[in-house]
Amino acid sequence: MRSVEDEDVCRVCGYTDGSLFFEDTWPTHIICSCCGWESGTQALGLEGTREYRGYWTGQGAEWSSRRERPKDWDLLKQLRNIPPDWR
Ligand SMILES: [Zn+2]
């Protein structure tokens, strides 16, 4: 098993730009450029994380930071990055 101390992949959408969402298990409160989820603001368990993801994709999976959206962005491909514990 890989270390879960640091997390640089968004639990909601699988986005990563290398910034840490959790450092040594502590939320860093960065806001995901993609889905807009802020680590630590909402104490989301697995169900809450799935709900947020469902809501976000249901709204059309809009980027919270549109200018960072890659031209060839592929939602389904990105969703595969979601850590297994948060799928
Ligand atoms: Zn995200």
Side-chain angles (χ1 to χ4, degrees), residues 2 4-16 21-27 32 35 37-40 42-46 48-54 56 78-79 81-87:
R2 71 184 190 92
V4 293
E5 306 296 306
D6 291 344
E7 289 182 41
D8 64 358
V9 176
C10 179
R11 292 176 179 181
V12 173
C13 71
Y15 176 76
T16 180
F21 286 90
F22 290 86
E23 194 167 5
D24 199 16
T25 74
W26 293 94
C32 180
C35 71
W37 176 66
E38 183 179 342
S39 68
Q42 292 155 295
L44 293 183
L46 182 56
T49 301
R50 285 175 175 163
E51 258 170 49
Y52 190 111
R53 186 183 304 130
W56 174 68
Q78 182 178 290
L79 290 175
N81 286 337
I82 296 169
D85 289 350
W86 297 100
R87 281 180 194 163

Side-chain angles (χ1 to χ4, degrees), residues 24-74:
D24 199 16
T25 74
W26 293 94
T28 55
H29 292 275
I30 60 164
I31 295 174
C32 180
S33 305
C34 183
C35 71
W37 176 66
E38 183 179 342
S39 68
T41 328
Q42 292 155 295
L44 293 183
L46 182 56
E47 286 309 308
T49 301
R50 285 175 175 163
E51 258 170 49
Y52 190 111
R53 186 183 304 130
Y55 177 79
W56 174 68
T57 51
Q59 297 295 307
E62 289 289 341
W63 274 62
S64 92
S65 193
R66 279 160 194 261
R67 61 201 155 77
E68 286 178 59
R69 184 188 193 279
K71 268 206 179 81
D72 59 350
W73 184 62
D74 184 336

